[in-house]
Amino acid sequence: MAKVTVSLDAELVVEAMVLAGVGSPQDAVELVVRDYIARGHRTEERTELTGDSPRTTPVIPIDPPQG
């Protein structure tokens, strides 16, 4: 697989390392990107299951405050 070099702010990478629980900056960024892509695929799968119809939720009217 081809490799890409990206320059990022050190604080951003340290934050990603802490959140990902890894000690390597490259591993942390790779995990974040892979998670982002996986979430996108899961969202696509969920929207395909519902078809083209929009989600419908019942609208509950709220009475204005009295007084």
Side-chain angles (χ1 to χ4, degrees):
M1 181 180 289
K3 300 287 182 179
V4 176
T5 302
V6 179
S7 297
L8 295 171
D9 182 65
E11 290 181 24
L12 179 65
V13 175
V14 170
E15 183 84 16
M17 290 171 62
V18 170
L19 292 172
V22 296
S24 165
Q26 183 168 342
D27 290 347
V29 173
E30 184 175 340
L31 286 172
V32 170
V33 171
R34 288 183 184 277
D35 182 62
Y36 182 81
I37 292 169
R39 286 180 189 215
H41 290 303
R42 288 192 301 266
T43 301
E44 288 172 2
E45 289 174 4
R46 274 187 265 143
T47 56
E48 287 176 5
L49 291 176
T50 61
D52 292 332
S53 62
R55 291 187 183 182
T56 57
T57 55
V59 177
I60 301 171
I62 299 174
D63 295 330
Q66 301 293 325

